[in-house]
């Protein structure tokens, strides 16, 4: 009895709705109901941080793809057809797609962020070299394999159960309850696994769930909506494009004494997660470098594009690109290799970040030095020079890219998680956490944590779906922190059960210290003693003795805090470090290029699962290279997406990935604030891809030392060609 929903969306980027005519659509056989904002029993509001985003347009549309009506029909084909019969009369208004233009007319989504340390003005007077410029980076489409979607079913007692492709089941639950005007306990959200997220489903999975839940609420029938790829590309937000200005000052020894920047974030038509993304940009403005004097301002600009959102790195990459551009600019104008300035300014132990936190167990120098030595960078540079001398039409370029990324949600409140563990009377184990498996391997890690704690093997552990009735008030699976937060909560639950079992066995065996009872290889044994019992037998005994074999675990990251007005504090549990070396070859006739090799030294702590983590490094790297080189989102002045399909929006494929990728595991002591002394691995490797931009730039410079390219990513083949032949590549093509 499932019905199918579909959105009728705005076809102009800004305008006033005069009239909506649904007569023809309503009369189409198979159409059950057409829903507008007036049918919403609760609030017409899906904004997560700021309540500025209606689920369905009321008087005005603000971007192409903004939902106006929901068609519910017997099939998705009928719903599709009905959408084409809806007629909406709109009086167009002025469209703004450029963030600086929006800023100039005062269209901001949230308060500007200003953050500084030291005194840049004074520091610049001590600088031998001062460079100013502009840098911009484009947006990025998530291209998760599974598009957005949700399925709602009536669940008795007026409650609704929703299967949602979301990173944030609680965000979905909260948003649906708000829209339906009910309490959260009426809404159950269940997620088994999802086909990719990359940030795109941190907050933007909620509207679709709200739509199907609304239809289910009105019709008392199951309703499903899974977006077509074209709809998803058109309607959902992406990585924020940024336009930025920088000013960097160095002394005669190339120490960076001062850095200033202004970031103009293209936020789209509503705030979504933009203010949080902007904050992470500011926190990562100096990447892996120590800069004593910093002064940055950041603006989230309201434009007539779909609201942009979380994307792997969450504003960090955009900030780090500007820093790398500034250093590249300085190196070019001084006439030294970029890596000389990079190396000179790497973070050291105890150095303070812009936000006041100081480095602890800083691995910036270690990663860099190991990468330089182990991958013989000096030798590579010599052989690249030789290659370039004898190849007039092919040039190689190399860039080093250090990364330092802070782990924790910058919103301290979000850094907590819970887990539920049941040991069944036959000894088998069922675990639930708030973590969402989206291909990143967190399910494997959760199973490993529980198996490790109980001394069982992975096959003894059943990981249940992520469900708001079993684990409530979850933070989204995001910020690279999912395994840490949920793993710690899970460990807490396992340890509660273990400690009950230990006390029971100590009593049974007549030993004093319960901590000498340990669990491994499916057995409980007495440490240094002779007592032994099979896990199953121990559980049966506990069951007979009426011992509680279930536990709820909780974890809240200790130590972290941030003053929201001064942005000073200790926002991150720890930092992840790494260095990548990227080499490319440019075809100087055609502008095409290939990445010959990427070599990485990455700080994994004590990796929980090296195979899973390697997958994250490779995937993140390639996604970063895609953002920096191939993927070009083009909106015209009318706010129309001109690269709205996968034929003209190019994502990396097997031909464009680096020919070789080598990853060395920097064995570090890890952090106690990470799960089992591992380190978060989801986002940091994306930023290695920034080096791709500069490797290409360097190759172009060896063909044409006078090239006039602006720092404008992505470095598409077209831009390479213009750069090679001295055509000035403008900002924002
Ligand atoms: N999401 C979020 C994130 O809400 N806050 C963050 O700090 C964050 N960082 C990275 C990715 N998603
Ligand atoms: Mo994310 S950008 O960690 O959802």
């Amino acid at each position: 009895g499932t019905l199918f929903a579909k959105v009728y969306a705005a076809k102009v980027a800004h305008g006033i709705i005069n009239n909506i005519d649904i007569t023809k659509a309503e009369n189409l056989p198979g159409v059950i109901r057409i829903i507008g904002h007036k049918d919403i029993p609760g609030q017409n509001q899906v904004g997560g941080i700021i309540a500025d985003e209606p689920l369905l347009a009321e008087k005005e549309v603000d971007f192409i793809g903004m939902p106006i009506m929901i068609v519910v029909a017997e099939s998705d084909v009928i719903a599709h057809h009905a959408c084409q019969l809806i007629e909406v009369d709109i009086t167009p208004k002025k469209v703004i797609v450029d963030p600086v233009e929006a800023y100039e007319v005062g269209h901001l989504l949230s308060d500007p962020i200003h953050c500084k340390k030291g005194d840049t003005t004074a520091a610049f007077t001590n600088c031998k070299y001062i460079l100013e410029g502009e840098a911009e980076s484009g947006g990025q489409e998530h291209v998760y394999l599974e598009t957005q979607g949700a399925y709602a079913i009536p669940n008795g007692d007026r409650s609704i159960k929703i299967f949602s492709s979301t990173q944030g089941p609680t965000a979905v639950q909260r948003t649906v309850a708000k829209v339906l005007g009910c309490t959260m306990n009426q809404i159950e959200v269940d997620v088994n696994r999802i086909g990719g997220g990359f940030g795109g489903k941190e907050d933007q999975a909620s509207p679709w769930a709200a739509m199907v839940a609304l239809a289910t609420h009105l019709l008392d029938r199951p309703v499903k909506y899974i977006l077509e790829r074209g709809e998803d590309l058109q309607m959902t937000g992406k990585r924020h494009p940024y336009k930025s200005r920088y000013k960097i000052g160095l002394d005669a020894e190339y120490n960076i004494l001062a850095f200033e920047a202004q970031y103009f974030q293209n936020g789209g038509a509503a705030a979504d997660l933009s203010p949080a993304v902007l904050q992470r940009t500011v926190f990562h403005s100096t990447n892996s470098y120590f800069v004593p004097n910093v002064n940055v301002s950041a603006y989230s600009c309201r434009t007539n594009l779909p609201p942009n959102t979380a994307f792997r790195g969450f504003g960090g990459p955009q900030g780090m690109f500007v820093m790398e551009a500034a250093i590249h600019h300085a190196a070019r104008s001084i006439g030294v290799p970029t890596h000389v300035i990079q190396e000179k300014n790497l973070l050291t132990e105890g150095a303070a970040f812009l936000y006041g936190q100081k480095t602890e167990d800083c691995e910036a120098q270690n990663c860099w030095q190991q990468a330089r030595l182990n991958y013989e960078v000096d030798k590579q540079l010599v052989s690249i020079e030789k290659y370039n001398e004898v190849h007039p039409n092919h040039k190689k370029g190399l860039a080093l890219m250090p990364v330092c990324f802070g782990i924790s949600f910058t919103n301290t409140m979000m850094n907590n998680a819970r887990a539920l563990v049941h040991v069944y009377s036959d000894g088998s184990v069922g675990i639930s956490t708030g973590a969402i498996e989206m291909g990143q391997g967190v399910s494997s890690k959760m199973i490993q944590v529980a198996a490790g704690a109980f001394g069982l093997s992975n096959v003894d552990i059943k990981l249940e779906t992520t469900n708001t009735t079993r684990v409530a008030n979850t933070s989204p699976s995001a910020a690279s922190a999912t395994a840490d937060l949920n793993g710690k909560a899970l460990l807490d639950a396992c340890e509660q059960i273990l400690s009950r079992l230990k006390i029971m066995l100590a009593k049974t065996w007549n030993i004093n210290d319960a901590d000498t009872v340990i669990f491994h290889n499916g057995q409980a044994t007495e440490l240094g003693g002779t007592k032994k019992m099979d896990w199953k037998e121990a559980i049966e005994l506990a069951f007979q003795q009426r011992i509680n074999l279930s536990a709820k675990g909780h974890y809240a990251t200790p130590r972290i805090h941030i003053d929201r007005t001064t942005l000073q504090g200790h926002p991150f549990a720890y930092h992840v470090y790494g260095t990548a070396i990227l080499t490319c070859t440019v075809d100087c006739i055609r502008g095409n290029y290939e990445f010959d090799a990427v070599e990485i030294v990455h700080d994994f702590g004590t990796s929980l699962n090296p195979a899973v983590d390697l997958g994250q490094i490779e995937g993140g790297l390639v996604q970063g290279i895609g953002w920096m080189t191939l993927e070009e989102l083009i909106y015209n002045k009318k706010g129309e997406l001109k690269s709205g399909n996968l034929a003209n929006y190019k994502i990396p494929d097997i031909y464009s990935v680096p020919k070789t990728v080598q990853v060395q595991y920097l064995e570090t002591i890890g952090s106690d604030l990470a799960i089992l002394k591992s380190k978060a691995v989801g986002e940091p490797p994306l930023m290695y891809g920034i080096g791709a931009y500069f490797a290409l730039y360097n190759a172009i410079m060896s063909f044409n030392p006078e090239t006039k390219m602006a720092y404008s990513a992505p470095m598409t083949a077209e831009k390479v060609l213009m750069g090679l032949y001295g055509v000035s590549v403008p900002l924002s093509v």
Side-chain angles (χ1 to χ4, degrees):
T2 293
L3 300 172
F4 296 82
K6 202 165 200 65
V7 157
Y8 176 88
K11 293 180 170 53
V12 295
H14 197 197
I16 302 291
I17 301 174
N18 301 318
N19 187 47
I20 301 176
D21 185 353
I22 57 168
T23 357
K24 279 187 208 150
E26 254 179 342
N27 291 333
L28 188 73
V31 171
I32 306 293
R33 174 129 183 202
I34 297 179
I35 299 167
H37 71 89
K38 291 192 182 119
D39 299 307
I40 293 173
Q43 296 175 45
N44 181 21
Q45 185 53 244
V46 295
I49 297 179
I50 298 171
D52 67 351
E53 187 178 356
L55 177 68
L56 298 172
E58 296 189 7
K59 297 190 180 75
E60 192 176 310
V61 296
D62 301 315
F63 63 93
I64 292 175
M66 182 174 183
I68 302 175
M69 309 292 288
I70 307 162
V71 174
V72 185
E74 300 279 2
S75 76
D76 52 1
V77 176
I78 297 171
H80 180 94
H81 191 182
C83 280
Q84 294 172 324
L85 299 175
I86 293 178
E87 284 162 21
V88 179
D89 179 41
I90 291 180
T91 306
K93 287 174 73 176
K94 183 179 162 56
V95 173
I96 295 180
V97 295
D98 181 87
V100 175
E101 190 184 337
Y103 168 79
E104 278 162 1
V105 294
H107 287 186
L108 293 184
L109 290 161
S110 55
D111 290 340
I113 298 177
H114 304 289
C115 196
K116 65 179 203 174
K117 75 165 183 182
D119 181 347
T120 47
T121 313
F124 277 123
T125 64
N126 299 324
C127 290
K128 177 162 182 209
Y129 308 104
I130 297 175
L131 291 310
E132 287 182 70
E134 289 175 61
E136 63 178 29
S137 56
Q140 187 175 23
E141 163 59 43
H142 302 86
V143 205
Y144 23 64
L145 283 179
E146 178 194 25
T147 54
Q148 303 271 6
Y151 183 28
I153 60 174
N155 205 23
D157 251 357
R158 291 183 338 268
S159 74
I160 293 175
K161 178 167 181 172
I162 301 165
F163 300 92
S164 165
S165 181
T166 181
Q167 293 172 241
T170 294
V172 168
Q173 182 190 25
R174 197 189 300 118
T175 305
V176 170
K178 191 193 269 184
V179 169
L180 296 190
C182 67
T183 45
M184 285 169 76
N185 61 2
Q186 303 278 26
I187 306 299
E188 174 181 349
V189 180
D190 190 279
V191 185
N192 187 345
R193 63 182 78 78
I194 70 176
F198 308 114
K201 298 168 184 172
E202 182 176 333
D203 248 30
Q204 296 208 352
S206 303
W208 326 106
M211 289 174 196
V212 291
L214 175 60
T216 292
H217 170 84
L218 295 171
L219 299 165
D220 203 27
R221 303 248 319 248
V223 181
K224 186 189 275 190
Y225 185 17
I226 296 172
L227 273 63
E228 289 169 41
R229 179 65 66 184
E231 291 180 299
D232 194 305
L233 294 170
Q234 197 63 241
M235 295 198 278
T236 67
K238 305 166 200 320
R239 182 189 294 286
H240 297 79
Y242 274 57
K243 289 192 171 184
S244 308
R245 301 188 193 120
Y246 59 81
K247 182 175 176 187
I248 190 169
L250 302 86
D251 68 12
E253 281 83 47
Y254 312 142
N255 295 302
I256 303 172
L257 299 186
F259 180 70
E260 290 180 353
Q262 294 86 45
Y263 307 100
F264 299 92
Q265 176 199 59
N266 193 333
D272 193 274
L273 289 162
S274 297
V277 171
L278 197 69
Q279 192 173 326
R280 192 171 274 276
T281 300
V282 167
F283 285 173
H284 289 78
S285 55
T286 53
N287 186 17
S288 203
Y289 309 104
F290 173 70
V291 184
N293 303 285
V294 183
N295 189 353
V296 298
S297 295
Y299 306 92
S300 185
C301 308
R302 180 159 53 82
T303 60
N304 296 108
L305 300 183
N308 285 317
T309 194
F311 195 134
R312 204 173 192 172
F314 206 75
Q318 291 95 320
M320 287 156 67
F321 176 72
V322 178
M323 186 70 193
E324 294 300 324
I327 292 176
H328 191 268
H329 184 180
R332 201 181 161 190
S333 106
I334 297 170
V336 291
T338 310
H339 62 83
V340 171
I341 299 180
Q342 289 175 306
E343 183 170 308
K344 185 92 200 194
N345 292 281
L346 290 171
L347 285 163
T348 53
E349 187 68 16
F353 290 98
L354 171 59
Y355 40 90
Q357 186 169 342
K358 295 195 169 94
T359 65
E360 290 170 39
D361 302 322
C362 178
E363 305 292 351
Q365 307 263 357
N366 282 346
C367 290
W368 178 279
Q369 291 305 341
Q370 288 205 24
R372 269 204 82 160
L373 292 175
N374 298 354
Y375 295 119
E376 304 187 304
V377 171
D378 294 340
K379 231 173 169 179
Q380 288 195 49
L381 287 167
V382 171
S383 76
I384 286 175
E385 208 170 296
K386 280 197 187 130
Y387 177 97
N388 288 350
E389 269 168 26
V390 297
H391 291 85
N393 296 325
H394 286 87
K395 299 294 176 194
K396 286 188 187 291
L398 179 149
L400 282 103
M401 180 64 202
V403 168
C404 169
F405 195 76
I407 303 301
S408 288
F409 290 94
T410 57
N411 181 356
T412 301
M413 187 199 98
M414 293 170 78
N415 295 286
N416 66 90
R418 279 146 301 285
L420 176 65
V421 175
H422 297 311
V423 180
Y424 295 97
S425 56
D426 68 352
S428 63
V429 178
I431 60 173
S432 300
T433 76
I436 300 292
E437 174 61 55
M438 53 185 129
Q440 87 280 43
V442 75
S443 289
S444 301
K445 289 186 176 178
M446 293 304 102
I447 288 169
Q448 276 182 265
V449 167
F454 289 137
L456 299 172
S457 63
N458 292 355
V459 292
D460 299 321
I461 314 292
K462 166 76 162 44
L463 177 69
E464 305 293 351
T465 62
T466 309
N467 185 298
T468 52
T469 67
R470 264 180 275 113
V471 177
N473 305 325
T474 61
S475 288
S477 285
S480 306
T482 312
D484 281 358
L485 297 174
N486 291 278
K488 290 263 189 181
L490 177 58
L491 207 51
D492 175 37
C494 294
E495 279 165 0
Q496 291 173 40
I497 296 172
L498 279 172
S499 103
R500 294 175 206 144
L501 293 173
K502 286 178 180 185
I503 291 167
M504 175 195 80
L505 287 172
K507 239 190 234 163
T508 310
W509 292 341
N510 258 321
I511 50 180
N512 290 330
D513 185 1
D515 281 335
T516 58
V517 180
I518 57 161
F519 293 82
H520 70 135
N521 289 335
Q523 278 193 328
T525 50
E526 181 196 0
L527 197 64
T530 55
K531 305 286 191 199
K532 255 192 212 172
M533 194 184 287
D534 269 357
W535 168 262
K536 282 188 183 167
E537 210 181 311
I539 295 303
E540 204 179 292
L541 190 63
F543 184 61
Q544 282 167 9
Q545 295 191 13
R546 299 183 293 169
I547 287 169
N548 181 1
L549 289 170
S550 297
K552 189 97 202 205
H554 173 79
Y555 179 71
T557 313
R559 288 192 72 193
I560 52 173
H561 59 89
I562 181 83
D563 181 323
R564 284 191 180 228
T565 47
T566 61
L567 290 188
Q568 295 297 301
H570 191 104
F572 298 120
Y574 59 93
H575 292 82
V576 171
Y577 299 88
T579 296
I581 303 155
L582 300 92
T583 44
C584 65
T585 307
V586 172
D587 175 336
C588 302
I589 304 292
R590 299 172 184 82
N592 293 345
Y593 49 78
E594 288 180 335
F595 285 90
D596 307 323
V598 178
E599 297 150 329
I600 294 168
V601 173
H602 186 86
D603 158 29
F604 290 91
T606 310
S607 174
L608 208 53
N609 190 323
V612 163
D613 287 356
L614 180 62
Q616 287 299 295
I617 301 290
E618 292 177 344
L621 167 72
V622 169
Q623 200 164 35
I625 293 177
W627 171 52
M628 278 284 117
T629 62
L630 290 174
E631 301 182 39
E632 194 172 33
L633 281 168
I634 300 174
Y635 289 94
N636 67 14
K637 296 250 184 290
K638 292 190 217 157
E640 293 166 340
L641 178 60
K642 304 311 276 183
S643 50
N645 63 60
L646 296 178
N648 52 31
Y649 181 79
K650 304 302 284 183
I651 58 172
D653 58 16
I654 196 65
Y655 300 104
S656 53
V657 297
K659 300 237 163 29
T660 64
V661 177
Q662 274 175 272
V663 181
Q664 285 187 4
Y665 291 66
L666 184 78
E667 291 281 339
T668 61
I669 50 169
S671 169
D672 283 324
L673 299 184
I675 180 66
L676 299 173
K677 291 193 168 270
S678 61
K679 276 201 167 186
V681 72
E683 294 171 290
L686 181 127
M687 285 149 273
Y688 293 139
I690 295 172
Y693 181 91
F694 295 97
L696 288 169
Y697 206 120
N698 293 341
I700 293 165
M701 278 182 3
S702 72
F703 181 83
N704 176 2
E706 304 304 317
T707 185
K708 295 194 212 52
M709 281 194 302
Y711 291 109
S712 170
M715 182 81 91
T716 57
E718 291 88 335
K719 283 189 198 158
V720 170
L721 199 57
M722 290 191 276
L724 287 165
Y725 294 96
V727 180
S728 82
V729 180
L731 290 157
S732 287
V733 183

